[in-house]
Amino acid sequence: MTAEILAKPAPAVPGPAPAAPGRTGTARRLAWLSGALLLLAVLTLAGIAVGARYIPPGQVLHVLLHREPASEDWIVVHHARIPRTLLGIAVGAALGIAGAMMQALTRNPLADPGLLGVNGGAAAAVAAGTALLDLRTFGSFVWFALAGAAVAALVVQILGGGGRASATPARLALAGTAVTAVLTAFVNGLILLDPLTLNRFRFWQVGTLAGVDSAVLGQVLPFLAAGGLLALLLGRPLNALALGDDAGHALGANPTRTRLFSLLAVTLLCGAATAAVGPIAFVGLAVPHLARHVCGPDQRWIMLLSAVLAPVLLLGSDIIGRLALHPAELQVGVVTAFIGAPLFIALVRGRRIAQL
Amino acid sequence: MNGPTAVDPSATLPTPPAAAPTAEPPAGPGPALAPVPLRAVRLPAGGSLRWHPRATLVGGLLVLALLGAVIGALTAGDYPLPVADVVDVLTGGGARADRYVVMEVRLPRLLTALLVGAALGLAGSLFQTLARNPLGSPDVIGFTVGSATGALAVILVIGGGAAAVAGGAVAGGLLTSALVYLLARRGGTQGYRLVLVGIGVSSLLASLNAYLIARASFSDAQSAAVWLTGSLNARGWEHCGPMALALALLLPAALLLGRPLRMLEMGDDVASSLGVRTEGVRIRLVLIGVGLTAAATAAAGPIPFVALIAPQAVRRLTRATGPNLLGSALTGALLLALSDLAAQRLLAPTQLPVGVLTGVVGGCFLIWLIVRRWRGDRA
């Protein structure tokens, strides 16, 4: 959040165990990555098994391997649990990558799609579409969400970094706060003037994977894939920019172009994810910190590990939400906040929180 | 605002925007004016009274503007009343219908707006000075969201009347700010950590609030949504009275601590070497700020941004150094009264909750600050 913390010759890894460079570092990263992947696989199976109707693991495997359209388990698994789980993985990965990118881009430990106004922009656009044009389905409001996310991200970037080449983290955060505030007030106004919008919006606003139309997965994937691909291509220039604009420029990265493409990637990832499942907090904030802690400052590794760890967090939260109030459900957005916020506060209380 | 150093933990020097007026670009609009020097009047008893001519002038103008807002709020509406009739009513006469409109509808609402605005402005000034950061206002450190959670819990889960809702709001706000304060405390509270912990806790509670609204019945959700935005619609004497009492107790308490607060702003080391018991004073100031915000929230819901804007605005108007407690209270009162007037009249006969307006205005103010700051950097 501040320029001066960042200007300090900070050790690159905010954690007690800086990854040793070279082979051991890579081995460590690979170990973490495979551990995370394993966890994700376990959670995927658990996500299919757990719910209002419990399906034991053996039966899950059976249903996955055999086509039995008549069995109730088969229907639940294929029409509800699998689309929901896959959507969780896709959205989680998108939020993780987006959070990692924003933190790298702004060199801001608090950067998060929520903080920098991207989710707010998407949400406001969806609310406006719902209220004024009576949009109901993902396919119709995803473009609104993307446009809202893009406009908000761009306005925040211009306000936060306008005039000079570099956007300081503090000004960016401030600009994000301001834009989010205006958007929130706008949404509140819409909701209060039109009760029907409130009624639709309030369920979407919590952030949930439940009851999302299974067609949404297919519709959201192209956006997320494009954003993810763009993000991976930007790994190297973001690494160069991490040393500062001047050094980055000397290393061959074009700061302005890198920023623009990063914004595009973040917009695609967050806008589509938010349109699909609603605004989900803390996944994009907490996970990249964890990733940076275990695999060091290389953006490509951070993004990769975030792309796996974030779905772990999201799926885990979704499962917890299904179990917590069984047979009722706690929406995943609430659970991620309850898991993410303490983590975030622990980071803040830690001595080296601000060093990126 | 204060740019990159705003939440700088490594700063040992005070860094609020106007702390060093000569180093800052002139803050007010118009041509660059040198800051007016502080004047001191020696008192016969050996003490001294410091005063600031520009601040006094601004204070006078604020009072005039407040008068204008009062006249506007009492005369304008779907039932317009000439000033003479309002004066008649206020002096004990007037027609019966006029009496009702003024005494039962407009006056209590206006007074509630003024008192709530003053409380928020004052609380904002206290918190911003303690955090040495404009973002240290109650909005950001989770108080408003916490009191919303408390009120929602009463509206949606427990169920209860207006008094219970207000009690829930106060309890929620108090618990939240205590939690934020305790979590941020580690060998003394540092401003930046307070803000960050506040952001964390308030996002947690915001999602809890969204959940509570989603699981509520439609009509409950609707009234909760109105409440959450912050509104002065249909405020009567029963809201105005407790607010007046709270302000009457807490405003003098805050003013009495004004001098140690000014020293705290220079940093704990400087303050304690000047004889201030820093933690004790800080806790008392936090309690006063919390009490003010709690009372305001109980009366009108979590109205955003008044606590953030008022101290900043008055600082830019007066160019005075240090916390300007009375000025912030006046500015807050003016801000909320004007916003409520606009909220009532903008889409008349539909009445917007005032929180929608302060949210938009507050966000735009922040944007304006950022743009100004950017131009200042360029020069």
Side-chain angles (χ1 to χ4, degrees), chain B residues 282-300:
Chain B
R282 184 174 282 130
I283 286 177
R284 271 183 282 164
L285 285 167
V286 166
L287 286 180
I288 294 171
V290 163
L292 287 164
T293 321
T297 310

Side-chain angles (χ1 to χ4, degrees), chain A residues 69-240:
Chain A
S71 114
E72 228 169 288
D73 284 347
W74 194 90
I75 293 171
V76 169
V77 164
H78 283 261
H79 289 277
R81 302 274 171 83
I82 290 181
R84 175 177 189 161
T85 304
L86 292 180
L87 188 64
I89 293 174
V91 164
L95 292 174
I97 296 175
M101 284 192 83
M102 295 194 92
Q103 288 177 13
L105 189 67
T106 60
R107 275 173 269 150
N108 181 345
L110 298 178
D112 168 80
L115 186 75
L116 297 195
V118 185
N119 284 353
V126 168
T130 316
L132 306 174
L133 301 176
D134 202 33
L135 304 181
R136 281 155 196 261
T137 60
F138 174 83
S140 59
F141 63 59
V142 63
W143 297 105
F144 272 75
L146 286 177
V151 169
L154 207 64
V155 168
V156 168
Q157 194 73 15
I158 289 171
L159 284 175
R164 288 176 154 202
S166 71
T168 70
R171 245 187 296 162
L172 262 181
L174 214 54
T177 314
V179 169
T180 306
V182 175
L183 292 171
T184 310
F186 169 72
V187 169
N188 282 341
L190 279 180
I191 282 180
L192 293 171
L193 292 177
D194 177 11
L196 278 179
T197 305
L198 164 67
N199 208 25
R200 276 184 240 153
F201 193 73
R202 67 183 172 133
F203 297 109
W204 180 81
Q205 196 184 18
V206 193
T208 179
L209 297 171
V212 176
D213 190 344
S214 58
V216 164
L217 180 63
Q219 290 169 316
V220 75
L221 266 183
F223 297 102
L224 300 187
L229 200 67
L230 195 54
L232 290 181
L233 291 176
L234 286 165
R236 193 181 283 270
L238 281 175
N239 271 343

Side-chain angles (χ1 to χ4, degrees), chain A:
Chain A
M1 196 145 185
T2 93
E4 295 199 9
I5 315 170
L6 302 159
K8 270 192 289 182
V13 187
R23 200 173 293 163
T24 35
T26 309
R28 185 186 148 91
R29 291 161 175 168
L30 280 176
W32 270 93
L33 188 62
S34 13
L37 279 171
L38 190 69
L39 198 57
L40 185 58
V42 171
L43 283 174
T44 305
L45 281 183
I48 295 174
V50 169
R53 173 195 182 90
Y54 175 70
I55 305 171
Q59 179 67 10
V60 169
L61 280 181
H62 177 81
V63 172
L64 284 179
L65 298 176
H66 303 87
R67 187 179 159 78
E68 291 170 5
S71 114
E72 228 169 288
D73 284 347
W74 194 90
I75 293 171
V76 169
V77 164
H78 283 261
H79 289 277
R81 302 274 171 83
I82 290 181
R84 175 177 189 161
T85 304
L86 292 180
L87 188 64
I89 293 174
V91 164
L95 292 174
I97 296 175
M101 284 192 83
M102 295 194 92
Q103 288 177 13
L105 189 67
T106 60
R107 275 173 269 150
N108 181 345
L110 298 178
D112 168 80
L115 186 75
L116 297 195
V118 185
N119 284 353
V126 168
T130 316
L132 306 174
L133 301 176
D134 202 33
L135 304 181
R136 281 155 196 261
T137 60
F138 174 83
S140 59
F141 63 59
V142 63
W143 297 105
F144 272 75
L146 286 177
V151 169
L154 207 64
V155 168
V156 168
Q157 194 73 15
I158 289 171
L159 284 175
R164 288 176 154 202
S166 71
T168 70
R171 245 187 296 162
L172 262 181
L174 214 54
T177 314
V179 169
T180 306
V182 175
L183 292 171
T184 310
F186 169 72
V187 169
N188 282 341
L190 279 180
I191 282 180
L192 293 171
L193 292 177
D194 177 11
L196 278 179
T197 305
L198 164 67
N199 208 25
R200 276 184 240 153
F201 193 73
R202 67 183 172 133
F203 297 109
W204 180 81
Q205 196 184 18
V206 193
T208 179
L209 297 171
V212 176
D213 190 344
S214 58
V216 164
L217 180 63
Q219 290 169 316
V220 75
L221 266 183
F223 297 102
L224 300 187
L229 200 67
L230 195 54
L232 290 181
L233 291 176
L234 286 165
R236 193 181 283 270
L238 281 175
N239 271 343
L241 276 194
L243 304 170
D245 277 10
D246 294 338
H249 210 85
L251 289 171
N254 178 338
T256 312
R257 199 172 56 199
T258 306
R259 283 214 170 80
L260 274 179
F261 278 115
S262 304
L263 277 181
L264 178 64
V266 167
T267 300
L268 282 169
L269 292 168
C270 295
T274 305
V277 300
I280 290 186
F282 282 113
V283 174
L285 186 68
V287 166
H289 279 282
L290 205 67
R292 192 174 303 106
H293 182 85
V294 299
C295 72
D298 187 334
Q299 289 309 326
R300 289 167 295 182
W301 275 99
I302 294 175
M303 283 198 267
L304 198 62
L305 196 57
S306 298
V308 183
L309 281 177
V312 167
L313 177 60
L314 199 68
L315 277 190
S317 305
D318 192 35
I319 294 170
I320 293 173
R322 278 182 255 173
L323 294 177
L325 298 180
H326 193 86
E329 286 196 11
L330 197 57
Q331 289 85 349
V332 65
V334 181
V335 184
T336 57
F338 270 83
I339 295 175
L343 203 66
F344 170 72
I345 291 167
L347 280 169
V348 168
R349 280 168 55 82
R351 216 156 39 85
R352 299 201 228 168
I353 157 257
Q355 294 165 357
L356 273 184

